[in-house]
Amino acid sequence: MSEQPTPQQVRRALARAERGAALDVPEATALLAATGEDLDRLTAAAAKVRDAGLVAAGRAVDGRPVVTYSPKVFIPVTKLCRDRCHYCTFVESPGQLTRAGHAMYLSPDEILEIARQGAELGCLEALFTLGDRPEDRWPEARAWLDEQGYDSTLAYVRAMAVRVLEETGLLPHLNPGVMSWEEMNRLKPVSPSMGMMLETTSRRLFETKGEAHFGSPDKDPAVRLRVLEDAGRLSIPFTTGLLVGIGEDLTERAETIFALRQVSRAFGSVQEVIVQNFRAKPDTAMRHTDDLGLDEYRAAIAVTRIVLGPKARVQAPPNLVDLEECRALLGAGVDDWGGVSPLTPDHVNPERPWPSLERLREITASCGFELRARLTVHPEYVRQGEPWLDPRVSGHVAALATEDGLARPGVRPTGLPWQEPDGGFASVGRTDLFAAVDREGPGGGRTEDRRSDFANVYGDWDSIREAASHTGVSTGSTTDGVAALKAAEKDPGNLSDEHALTLMTAEGDLLREVCRLANDLRRETVGDDVTYVVNRNINFTNVCYVGCRFCAFAQRRTDADAYSLSLDEVADRAAEAWDLGATEVCMQGGIDPELPATAYFDLVNAVKQRVPEMHVHAFSPMEVVNGVARTGLSIEDFLIKARESGLGSLPGTAAEILDDEVRWVLTKGKLPTRTWIEVVTTAHRVGLPTTSTMMYGHVDNPRHWVNHLRVLSRIQDETGGFTEFVPLPFVHTSSPIYLAGVARPGPSLRDNLAVHAMARILLHGRVPNIQTSWVKLGVDGTRAMLQAGANDVGGTLMEETISRMAGSEHGSAKTVAELVEIGAGIGRPVVERTTTYGVR
């Protein structure tokens, strides 16, 4: 437990807060202890920050700042839970439910009846509240789901969200606890917003017997922070917050606030932060714990407001204090009352009824504010639309919203159809883009140097820059280079991490010896032939809502350079490639929210129907997960169906660096490492080989490169499914993360040589083929890598849009003669291969 701050520490921190200085955790801790006159000064400072934010956001009616609330109904889908929180009365056991005459879950009819009644009373939001993964603890929950035909609680929640949208028009807000990246990706199309309280980052409360979260697996702070970060990466407007007074000390409370700030700044996805005060409940383990006092609560709200800043929306539930005390909460910096229901109780705090809306409006007005209804998704996200709102729910939101993103006065929701995009592919935008790229030179085809939502899609660059400073720290080894080289010569595929790092950071004579060894291993493994495949890249759409920070390729649908090829155009390009001697088409595209559910199968079918003998090498793991979310299939079933449609292999792209700290800085919306691994290992298991890749030279360091190659080694030992490894040097020129001053300008020649050579060494005996990218390295660079362990130069491509958009200056196609000349320049024969390295 931390020591209580002294009055002197409180006043020093208070003086800094009043000046608008940035606070650190110790200063925030001191302010949380403010009382008396100091507390009044603190709340006044917080209120000024709040007021400035409302003015900047244009939230005022007749000169009065607007405080918001959401008219909602609470739908307790199930009261079963696998956790055992010591303060909770929401959760019940199967026995309790049975004795009360209740089923394990609300039925669809019960859910819809609550929603319909709420719609008739003017509610706009349906808050789905439930326990975490009850089927993992209770056989009765699993039996109910099986009987109803659902494989999980979240699958049932998704189905019910669709029915609420279609039959009542209420907007679902899903609050099912801890979710995986994949699960949130699956739920985003049916819910404009989601939520999960962080509660606290205190590991002490989670790990210590008798404390509030002991024995509750879903209350692990690291797990809950991962959920917030994954929601940010998926651009989901997300509600979260802290629960104050459950046994945390002031430092732990301050650390929780700063953790929320970090996620908010990194991703811009935290739409509101709830500061909730603990209320003891009978029949719980914490029934004898004192309720949080009002002064301590005011301090927590004020510090949260000051730390999070004027752009944050800070909520305090109005039913957890006496109504007159709501004035004090407004005085501490609150600007939102959260959900208020005219129909359903607060199922988490049933002993605390909602105040009447009339009285809440009077209290709010007496403090100088106008009370306005909002939707479950906050106004700024309504106004921005994509990527925050999936197109499948954007129409439902628009039906209830004003131009400023608040709820339309007097609006009554009505059901609207919900469906996956249908009607097949349609050509959108510039279908001559590839020709335009070739005509206009490096980076050609772009009318702008950045996407139209550049200012907000990537998150807060200052926070990203801070995170990158930790990932990119040099971590060279002091191990003796001669000893490391001898170890590599003796057993190259099983080097220790320290020996591997020593050689990965080698320079001068040691680097030349590393390249020599790699070249010897290449000759021993695959001979002197330089191989290539005649192929064509088809980037079938550049519309993407993910917002990867390194990508210069992606566009919003409304951008001038956005395009999507029709199925006929894709098939035409494949046929043209076949006529020119290609044996492979490589198809990848942006994550377009308006692609039909069957899009990926349709693309493969279109090619195979036109050119039956063409090998289709297509769809990154990110695209596979997108397809899984759209179809509702498992990863395995999706890949089997894709294989049956004619898919021959997958590109192992979307890997970037297989380290989540780096990925969160670099990619924002991309799938996490564990999911990339699951997709490629599943592909191997169902008979689809994949390539493997690593994009390096941005915010990473050599230790990340070694670790990445270790992950690939472990996968290959398990599955044997990688055909090749492709090092991809980061092309910085038009990359947002470089334009924002976060990333390095790509790898050096030393880095390129070390990565290619060490890939050959560390993957020896596992992955026989190391490919070098002429698109990114040019002729001279490619030749250098071929003498440092590489044996393959990839494909003729015919066009390669992604690297060109990023600023690569080495062309978008090579003839066979040009590839032969690359090998001839270093005295090596050049031989055509198939996708899977068969002889042509």
Side-chain angles (χ1 to χ4, degrees):
M1 300 289 286
S2 60
E3 294 182 1
Q4 188 75 6
T6 66
Q8 292 78 13
Q9 290 172 321
V10 172
R11 291 184 184 120
R12 281 197 296 269
L14 182 57
R16 286 179 53 78
E18 290 175 324
R19 294 200 306 271
L23 303 178
D24 58 20
V25 170
E27 289 168 333
T29 302
L31 292 176
L32 288 167
T35 58
E37 184 180 327
D38 292 338
L39 177 57
D40 291 339
R41 289 173 57 193
L42 172 65
T43 57
K48 287 181 180 178
V49 174
R50 183 266 320 280
D51 293 346
L54 293 178
V55 170
R59 281 181 43 170
V61 175
D62 297 328
R64 300 209 314 168
V66 169
V67 168
T68 51
Y69 76 100
S70 177
K72 68 172 69 172
V73 291
F74 285 69
I75 299 178
V77 178
T78 179
K79 292 191 172 184
L80 300 177
C81 183
R82 70 175 181 176
D83 293 322
R84 297 173 173 85
C85 297
H86 295 187
Y87 46 77
C88 180
T89 57
F90 173 77
V91 169
E92 296 182 15
S93 69
Q96 289 173 307
L97 291 171
T98 300
R99 286 191 294 273
H102 298 149
M104 299 301 104
Y105 293 75
L106 291 183
S107 69
D109 287 344
E110 289 171 321
I111 289 172
L112 288 169
E113 182 58 25
I114 294 171
R116 287 192 187 100
Q117 291 182 33
E120 291 171 1
L121 292 171
C123 294
L124 305 176
E125 172 187 341
L127 169 61
F128 284 59
T129 185
L130 57 150
D132 280 83
R133 302 184 189 279
E135 65 269 33
D136 288 356
R137 178 182 177 188
W138 301 111
E140 295 89 342
R142 169 53 61 196
W144 190 94
L145 292 167
D146 289 344
E147 183 178 306
Q148 300 298 319
Y150 296 99
D151 58 11
S152 69
T153 297
L154 290 180
Y156 181 56
V157 166
R158 187 182 194 274
M160 292 304 99
V162 171
R163 291 198 62 180
V164 166
L165 285 166
E166 290 197 321
E167 298 187 35
T168 74
L170 292 184
L171 302 178
H173 175 81
L174 305 185
N175 193 19
V178 168
M179 297 170 281
S180 69
W181 184 93
E182 298 91 332
E183 288 164 340
M184 284 188 283
N185 191 43
R186 179 83 174 128
L187 292 172
K188 180 174 179 177
V190 304
S191 180
S193 61
M194 300 182 210
M196 183 201 70
M197 292 287 283
L198 174 59
E199 296 192 3
T200 179
T201 55
S202 171
R203 295 206 64 80
R204 179 178 60 82
L205 298 187
F206 173 67
E207 295 171 344
T208 305
K209 188 174 182 179
E211 296 292 353
H213 289 156
F214 184 76
S216 298
D218 298 296
K219 294 304 174 76
D220 183 337
V223 171
R224 297 179 85 78
L225 281 169
R226 189 264 303 160
V227 172
L228 300 188
E229 290 160 343
D230 283 351
R233 296 168 68 192
L234 287 166
S235 297
I236 295 171
F238 208 78
T239 296
T240 185
L242 59 158
L243 180 55
V244 187
I246 57 173
E248 80 284 3
D249 62 33
L250 295 183
T251 298
E252 291 167 334
R253 195 175 296 171
E255 289 170 345
T256 302
I257 296 169
F258 274 81
L260 291 168
R261 184 181 75 168
Q262 193 280 325
V263 174
S264 179
R265 289 188 174 182
F267 302 106
S269 55
V270 176
Q271 65 168 359
E272 65 178 324
V273 172
I274 304 170
V275 186
Q276 183 172 331
N277 52 323
F278 170 75
R279 285 285 193 174
K281 298 174 178 62
D283 302 322
T284 68
M286 295 180 66
R287 60 188 177 276
H288 299 305
T289 303
D290 290 337
D291 289 353
L292 187 77
L294 180 61
D295 282 355
E296 194 172 354
Y297 190 25
R298 292 169 60 206
I301 292 170
V303 172
T304 300
R305 164 59 68 194
I306 290 170
V307 169
L308 293 179
K311 293 183 179 180
R313 305 279 77 87
V314 177
Q315 180 205 129
N319 63 316
L320 298 186
V321 295
D322 295 337
L323 187 58
E324 287 300 316
E325 292 175 336
C326 287
R327 301 178 196 274
L329 307 188
L330 285 170
V334 163
D335 59 9
D336 187 82
W337 291 125
V340 178
S341 179
L343 176 67
T344 53
D346 178 353
H347 289 282
V348 178
N349 301 281
E351 78 285 0
R352 304 291 305 186
W354 300 110
S356 72
L357 192 56
E358 292 74 16
R359 284 292 294 133
L360 188 62
R361 192 181 307 279
E362 289 173 5
I363 292 288
T364 304
S366 70
C367 294
F369 298 94
E370 179 81 12
L371 186 64
R372 285 282 303 274
R374 60 167 173 84
L375 307 180
T376 176
V377 59
H378 276 250
E380 52 266 44
Y381 303 96
V382 175
R383 293 194 300 269
Q384 291 179 41
E386 187 186 328
W388 302 107
L389 296 179
D390 188 281
R392 285 158 285 188
V393 292
S394 59
H396 298 80
V397 173
L400 304 176
T402 61
E403 289 186 1
D404 61 5
L406 291 169
R408 283 199 285 121
V411 68
R412 286 293 185 269
T414 56
L416 295 173
W418 182 97
Q419 61 182 17
E420 295 283 3
D422 57 13
F425 282 72
S427 183
V428 176
R430 298 179 53 176
T431 58
D432 65 337
L433 178 123
F434 298 121
V437 170
D438 289 336
R439 286 197 306 270
E440 297 179 21
R446 302 287 298 273
T447 58
E448 300 177 358
D449 69 345
R450 58 186 67 185
R451 55 191 285 172
S452 61
D453 56 355
F454 184 92
N456 57 56
V457 72
Y458 302 108
D460 181 84
W461 283 114
D462 288 338
S463 179
I464 297 162
R465 198 171 291 112
E466 179 181 354
S469 69
H470 299 297
T471 64
V473 174
S474 177
T475 53
S477 171
T478 58
T479 304
D480 179 69
V482 174
L485 185 63
K486 286 182 178 179
E489 291 171 334
K490 182 178 180 180
D491 191 3
N494 295 294
L495 277 181
S496 70
D497 286 349
E498 288 308 299
H499 279 156
L501 187 60
T502 294
L503 299 183
M504 187 68 84
T505 56
E507 299 182 2
D509 290 342
L510 181 59
L511 177 60
R512 282 186 282 275
E513 285 299 302
V514 170
C515 293
R516 186 268 311 161
L517 173 59
N519 214 29
D520 290 346
L521 292 172
R522 182 268 307 159
R523 188 178 299 110
E524 172 190 322
T525 303
V526 294
D528 283 330
D529 288 350
V530 173
T531 53
Y532 70 95
V533 63
V534 180
N535 68 348
R536 182 172 198 167
N537 267 23
I538 303 177
N539 301 126
F540 53 86
T541 181
N542 68 348
V543 176
C544 188
Y545 66 74
V546 173
C548 291
R549 298 183 179 109
F550 68 86
C551 181
F553 169 75
Q555 298 285 295
R556 300 184 71 182
R557 179 164 290 276
T558 54
D559 288 343
D561 286 314
Y563 73 88
S564 293
L565 302 181
S566 69
L567 290 175
D568 284 342
E569 289 171 314
V570 170
D572 288 345
R573 290 174 184 275
E576 291 169 3
W578 181 261
D579 291 341
L580 292 170
T583 60
E584 171 198 301
V585 289
C586 177
M587 296 193 296
Q588 296 182 89
I591 307 302
D592 181 354
E594 296 188 18
L595 285 178
T598 60
Y600 299 111
F601 309 137
D602 296 341
L603 284 161
V604 177
N605 279 321
V607 172
K608 296 298 282 187
Q609 287 176 9
R610 187 75 65 85
V611 192
E613 296 180 71
M614 182 71 82
H615 183 102
V616 180
H617 178 68
F619 313 137
S620 71
M622 180 69 187
E623 291 172 283
V624 170
V625 172
N626 186 48
V628 165
R630 297 195 176 286
T631 60
L633 298 171
S634 67
I635 290 174
E636 180 173 358
D637 288 343
F638 178 90
L639 289 170
I640 289 172
K641 187 171 176 62
R643 186 195 65 200
E644 292 171 347
S645 299
L647 184 66
S649 58
L650 274 70
T653 48
E656 280 74 63
I657 293 290
L658 295 174
D659 178 289
D660 280 336
E661 287 191 6
V662 176
R663 293 176 73 77
W664 289 343
V665 171
L666 188 67
T667 66
K668 187 177 184 283
K670 280 284 182 74
L671 68 178
T673 296
R674 66 182 183 280
T675 307
W676 189 93
I677 293 171
E678 182 181 2
V679 171
V680 298
T681 55
T682 304
H684 298 169
R685 188 171 64 250
V686 303
L688 289 169
T690 76
T691 63
S692 57
T693 64
M694 179 177 78
M695 187 179 74
Y696 62 98
H698 32 77
V699 297
D700 49 354
N701 66 58
R703 190 175 293 277
H704 294 127
W705 307 341
V706 170
N707 292 341
H708 184 104
L709 291 167
R710 294 291 195 217
V711 172
L712 299 183
S713 294
R714 289 193 292 272
I715 294 172
Q716 190 73 339
D717 287 344
E718 176 188 339
T719 70
F722 289 135
T723 57
E724 65 199 61
F725 173 67
V726 189
L728 299 171
F730 172 59
V731 179
H732 70 284
T733 312
S734 298
S735 177
I737 200 169
Y738 175 75
L739 295 175
V742 178
R744 304 192 302 279
S748 65
L749 175 60
R750 190 223 71 82
D751 294 340
N752 290 328
L753 289 169
V755 166
H756 284 74
M758 288 304 296
R760 171 62 68 184
I761 291 169
L762 292 177
L763 297 176
H764 181 65
R766 296 182 174 94
V767 181
N769 302 296
I770 307 298
Q771 183 183 122
T772 184
S773 174
W774 59 259
V775 174
K776 298 178 186 298
L777 292 168
V779 172
D780 291 341
T782 299
R783 286 172 173 164
M785 301 310 124
L786 289 170
Q787 297 175 89
N791 66 294
D792 186 78
V793 292
T796 54
L797 297 185
M798 301 187 188
E799 69 261 328
E800 204 291 327
T801 311
I802 295 174
S803 293
R804 289 297 302 273
M805 289 301 189
S808 173
E809 299 181 359
H810 300 300
S812 60
K814 290 286 184 191
T815 65
V816 170
E818 288 172 321
L819 294 180
V820 169
E821 176 57 28
I822 289 176
I826 54 173
R828 298 258 292 277
V830 179
V831 178
E832 184 181 353
R833 62 166 173 88
T834 66
T835 301
T836 54
Y837 286 83
V839 177
R840 280 282 296 166

